[in-house]
């Protein structure tokens, strides 16, 4: 998946998932840590390339990845 907008736009899209999370700047990428208390789900975004990578518990990741892909502009 890729996203070529701004961090603010991506934050707004992720908020539409309705999952509690917080964002951290990690040098070359931005990190969204989902604060559900049960998984280790994280979204990495590299603004330079637009690359999005969702990592963590596969049981939750697949559903969140599908929902996020539906929100992303084509």
């Amino acid at each position: 998946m890729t996203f070529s907008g701004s961090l603010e736009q991506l934050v707004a899209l992720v908020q539409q998932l309705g999952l509690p999370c917080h964002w951290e700047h990690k040098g070359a990428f931005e990190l969204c840590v989902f604060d559900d208390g049960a998984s280790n789900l994280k979204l990495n975004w590299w603004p330079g390339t637009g690359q999005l990578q969702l990592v963590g518990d596969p049981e939750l990741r697949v559903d969140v990845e599908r929902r996020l892909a539906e929100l992303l502009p084509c």
Side-chain angles (χ1 to χ4, degrees):
M1 287 187 295
T2 60
F3 179 76
S4 59
S6 69
L7 175 59
E8 292 78 20
Q9 291 168 322
L10 182 58
V11 169
L13 284 175
V14 171
Q15 285 177 339
Q16 292 180 48
L17 295 172
L19 301 171
C21 66
H22 69 275
W23 288 84
E24 299 175 10
H25 177 70
K26 296 292 185 179
F29 68 98
E30 303 295 332
L31 172 67
C32 176
V33 178
F34 292 92
D35 301 317
D36 62 5
S39 73
N40 60 347
L41 201 58
K42 297 173 182 67
L43 176 66
N44 300 314
W45 178 56
W46 288 266
T49 64
Q51 184 68 36
L52 285 168
Q53 179 186 40
L54 197 60
V55 297
D57 184 350
E59 191 170 312
L60 295 173
R61 185 184 71 231
V62 172
D63 179 57
V64 173
E65 192 168 52
R66 178 192 54 78
R67 292 172 51 208
L68 181 59
E70 291 172 356
L71 293 171
L72 292 171
C74 296

